[in-house]
Amino acid sequence: VKAVSPEYPLRGELRVRAAPNLPEQGIRKLPSSGEIWVGARLLAELGMETGDPLSLGERELHISRIISRDNGDAVNLFRLGPRVLMALEEIPSTGLVTPASRVHHQLLVAGAPKRVERYRLWAGKRLPKGVSLNHMSNARPELRSALDRGGRFLGLAALAAVLMASAAVALSARRFVERQSDSSAILRCLGCSRGFILQTLLLRLTLLTLLASLAGILFGYLSQFLLASAIGEWFGPELPMPGMTPAWIGFGTGFATLFGFTLPSLLRLGSVPPLRVLRRDLGAPPANAWLAALSALLAIALLMLWQSGDIKLAISVMAGTLLTIALLLAAARLLIRLVTPLRHRGDSIWRYGLASLARNPALTSLQLAGFGLGILALLLLAVVRVDLLNSWQRTIPAQAPNQFLINIQPREVQPLTRFLQQSDLKSGGIFPMLRARLTRINEHTVSPDDYQSDRARRLASREFNLSWSEQLQADNRILSGHWWDPHQVDQALFSVEQGLAEELGIELGDRLTFNLAGVPIAGRVASLRSVQWDSFHPNFFVIGTPGLLKNHPATYITSFYLPAGGEKRLAGLLQRFPSVTIIDVSTLMQQIREIITRGASAVEFVFLFTLGAGVLVLYAGIQATREHRRQESAILRTLGLRRRPLLLAVSIEFITLGVLAGLLASSCASLTGWYISTELLGLGYQFNPWLWVAGTLGGGIGVGLAGAMATYPLVVRPPLETLRG
């Protein structure tokens, strides 16, 4: 029985039904005086209907609603019985609460994150014994796993956008230097110093960055209202307005991106020789390659760490980016070497198209790297993102277990298995379970006072659910050490869940001692493993070998899927096995599914910005060689090459760049997706052959068409205008 105050629920809304066969509806008011709301399972077990009276203590109340979902159950997700919800003011009239009653009180608190954190730290130091403080950092592992994955998916979306923006700015920086070389040369002729020229350019870029960042901040501010309209109703009727922190992040991102990729090139403009006014072949001195690379690397690293807030995710994407750049530059060198002989052989249009790649190796390398990074980010957006989100959504299948059975006695295992089969209830397997308390890690006695975090203190002060098994469960994965071999099942070995090991400071090879009903049980940690808690199969923090635990008293646990409206089957199960306890986790599963659905919607929305940045990368990569192509087109037209063959030659050049960049980017995107999925998100990943098809063909066709369209105005322009200019 749960009695709540008028402010309940603190977030979201209650979902109720007026009758079992009617659709659910959201409601924010509580049961009126004389009313009570119940779970569908209670009606099935008692044979009652809505409108029937139900006595609670000294008070008779009428059932008016059936509870479908209660967001307030997030702090008590595993319920041992059917739900009953009533108004707090009705409790005195029932006479249920006395000094001998078993009553559990909860206070729900929400507000601005900083205020909630201050309250949490303040209350954590003043809680009396027996009172615990729950928050998202120590939430149930199933819920925390879904939230962590949602955060990492959003972090991946931010990193892809940062990667695309960086590539676009890096490609644009070269053309900026070319266009400003004439102005710098004229200023040098007029007596301006190098410092004056650099100050002028820095001022221009600073003003440009301020305006561009301000425009991006305003666009982001408006966009967040669209995002809030899509998922905001999940949190309540009204979301707080964003503060100034996102604005400062926007300005910081703008300046870090601009100066990280343009500063080395900008420094060259102050050294443009004045003689460039007369000799057009002179330009800015070549940039220090190591300085440019270091500046760009630091900018990308800073932005990735800042935007993702996840060091492992940022390092993973950074490593994938560096690998892609290295492969692209190596491929550019190889391509240039292969096509260099074509500059002096044959007269076909293929010669003009491919030989132009070798005429300017620096431009070819720059374009190939830019196109490759752009295609990499677009593939992460278009293909890998979909695969990862699908894997995330498949973590809780439509018929994942939503009911747990505990306290199964050994003699009931076989009859219960047959009952579930006859009732068409698919079980995920029956596992032994023992209750024991961790007392020693090596020679150190475990005490809650030895730990700082609330979760570690709770873990050190309570009993654990242990189990034994010969085989590793399908939703578990060994991270370090090894699972025991058949000849080791009689040895004293443990396998510990990674999160628990980190909280309590347990390492591979440590000797753990548990107190099981007064009997000490000791064994060595043979492996650390990850557990897919949101699979909703029975899982355990600590698993031992059969030889270590099999001979100790144990009960058994299992889980199964109960379809909607099947509550009567549970009544039959309890009649047949009265000692078995049923735990309903359907509310928890529904909340996690909603987190996944809303999180996926948010990721889709954020990735739209990446798509826009990808278009900019493609445009910047083509514009980087615009001046060079304008002059080259005029010369070739003067020498008699017609427009159509010239456009075809340019298309061949861009298609070659696009195919090669797409092929390499596809490989790197696949490897990056695999690592993020398996190592960071704990999901399965299947290599998608369409990734290479989309990357290679899409890169060739997209870059080829874009290059031809961008070059067309240069080709149709009369050569005399260019030569005179």
Side-chain angles (χ1 to χ4, degrees), residues 529-667:
R529 58 193 163 80
S530 64
V531 177
Q532 188 178 334
W533 295 106
D534 49 9
S535 68
F536 286 93
H537 291 103
N539 273 301
F540 305 90
F541 284 115
V542 181
I543 299 177
T545 54
L548 180 62
L549 300 175
K550 189 173 183 179
N551 295 326
H552 294 274
T555 58
Y556 287 78
I557 179 176
T558 188
S559 62
F560 62 90
Y561 170 70
L562 180 71
E567 289 80 8
K568 292 184 178 180
R569 303 188 202 180
L570 297 182
L573 189 150
L574 289 176
Q575 292 177 0
R576 177 69 175 81
F577 304 96
S579 65
V580 173
T581 301
I582 300 176
I583 300 178
D584 182 5
V585 297
S586 57
T587 299
L588 172 61
M589 295 178 66
Q590 191 170 11
Q591 287 186 332
I592 293 179
R593 283 195 177 102
E594 288 198 355
I595 290 174
I596 294 175
T597 301
R598 304 299 173 87
S601 299
V603 171
E604 298 277 358
F605 182 81
V606 174
F607 260 121
L608 291 176
F609 294 94
T610 309
L611 183 61
V615 175
L616 291 179
V617 169
L618 190 61
Y619 176 80
I622 294 171
Q623 293 297 314
T625 60
R626 180 180 177 85
E627 184 64 24
H628 172 76
R629 295 187 184 282
R630 185 174 69 86
Q631 298 177 7
E632 187 179 74
S633 298
I635 295 172
L636 291 175
R637 289 286 308 281
T638 303
L639 294 176
L641 190 63
R642 296 181 178 275
R643 295 177 182 175
R644 186 172 179 180
L646 181 56
L647 277 176
L648 183 58
V650 172
S651 300
I652 291 172
E653 177 187 351
F654 277 106
I655 289 173
T656 303
L657 286 174
V659 168
L660 186 57
L663 180 61
L664 296 175
S666 301
S667 302

Side-chain angles (χ1 to χ4, degrees), residues 295-592:
S295 175
L297 184 62
L298 289 176
I300 291 180
L302 174 64
L303 290 171
M304 285 188 172
L305 287 173
W306 194 7
Q307 292 292 343
S308 69
D310 189 323
I311 295 178
K312 290 183 66 176
L313 180 62
I315 291 176
S316 301
V317 177
M318 187 72 183
T321 302
L322 293 177
L323 176 62
T324 304
I325 293 175
L327 289 175
L328 289 168
L329 293 178
R333 294 285 296 269
L334 179 61
L335 179 63
I336 292 168
R337 178 167 294 187
L338 291 176
V339 300
T340 296
L342 296 177
R343 298 179 63 183
H344 311 290
R345 298 178 186 174
D347 296 321
S348 68
I349 204 64
W350 283 89
R351 175 208 166 199
Y352 288 112
L354 296 177
S356 62
L357 296 172
R359 282 196 290 272
N360 198 325
L363 281 177
T364 299
S365 300
L366 181 65
Q367 282 191 310
L368 188 61
F371 290 145
L373 285 179
I375 295 172
L376 169 64
L378 287 175
L379 288 176
L380 289 175
L381 159 70
V383 182
V384 176
R385 167 188 58 87
V386 176
D387 292 342
L388 292 179
L389 288 177
N390 288 340
S391 297
W392 190 26
Q393 292 172 332
R394 286 195 301 267
T395 56
I396 305 183
Q399 296 188 357
N402 57 8
Q403 306 290 327
F404 278 76
L405 302 181
I406 62 173
N407 296 331
I408 304 171
Q409 302 303 312
R411 56 182 170 77
E412 296 177 322
V413 171
Q414 295 300 327
L416 180 62
T417 302
R418 290 194 296 269
F419 179 88
L420 293 176
Q421 292 174 348
Q422 294 170 0
S423 303
D424 197 23
L425 298 173
K426 192 172 295 185
S427 169
I430 297 183
F431 301 88
M433 186 169 68
L434 307 88
R435 298 283 292 176
R437 181 172 177 175
L438 180 65
T439 57
R440 299 180 74 86
I441 301 176
N442 295 322
E443 302 304 321
H444 178 72
T445 301
V446 176
S447 171
D449 297 332
D450 296 334
Y451 300 98
Q452 297 295 325
S453 71
D454 297 336
R455 183 168 183 259
R457 289 175 179 171
R458 287 204 308 271
L459 291 170
S461 62
R462 69 175 180 84
E463 290 184 329
F464 285 48
N465 289 326
L466 277 63
S467 185
W468 53 264
S469 176
E470 295 184 9
Q471 304 293 330
L472 181 68
Q473 291 176 243
D475 49 6
N476 287 217
R477 188 163 59 91
I478 299 296
L479 300 178
S480 59
H482 66 279
W483 188 258
W484 34 82
D485 299 325
H487 67 274
Q488 294 179 307
V489 294
D490 292 328
Q491 299 180 16
L493 301 176
F494 286 118
S495 178
V496 182
E497 191 263 342
Q498 175 71 21
L500 175 71
E502 292 176 354
E503 288 285 352
L504 298 182
I506 299 173
E507 298 180 354
L508 196 66
D510 285 350
R511 183 176 178 81
L512 306 183
T513 303
F514 288 89
N515 185 325
L516 198 160
V519 178
I521 299 175
R524 179 176 58 85
V525 178
S527 63
L528 300 178
R529 58 193 163 80
S530 64
V531 177
Q532 188 178 334
W533 295 106
D534 49 9
S535 68
F536 286 93
H537 291 103
N539 273 301
F540 305 90
F541 284 115
V542 181
I543 299 177
T545 54
L548 180 62
L549 300 175
K550 189 173 183 179
N551 295 326
H552 294 274
T555 58
Y556 287 78
I557 179 176
T558 188
S559 62
F560 62 90
Y561 170 70
L562 180 71
E567 289 80 8
K568 292 184 178 180
R569 303 188 202 180
L570 297 182
L573 189 150
L574 289 176
Q575 292 177 0
R576 177 69 175 81
F577 304 96
S579 65
V580 173
T581 301
I582 300 176
I583 300 178
D584 182 5
V585 297
S586 57
T587 299
L588 172 61
M589 295 178 66
Q590 191 170 11
Q591 287 186 332
I592 293 179

Side-chain angles (χ1 to χ4, degrees), residues 185-234:
I186 293 173
L187 290 174
R188 292 292 301 276
C189 290
L190 295 176
C192 294
S193 65
R194 179 184 179 186
F196 177 81
I197 295 174
L198 290 178
Q199 290 175 13
T200 303
L201 292 173
L202 281 173
L203 179 61
R204 288 178 56 191
L205 286 177
T206 301
L207 292 175
L208 177 65
T209 306
L210 284 173
L211 292 175
S213 299
L214 182 60
I217 290 168
L218 292 175
F219 184 63
Y221 178 79
L222 296 175
S223 299
Q224 66 95 22
F225 287 106
L226 297 177
L227 183 61
S229 65
I231 65 173
E233 72 276 5
W234 192 41

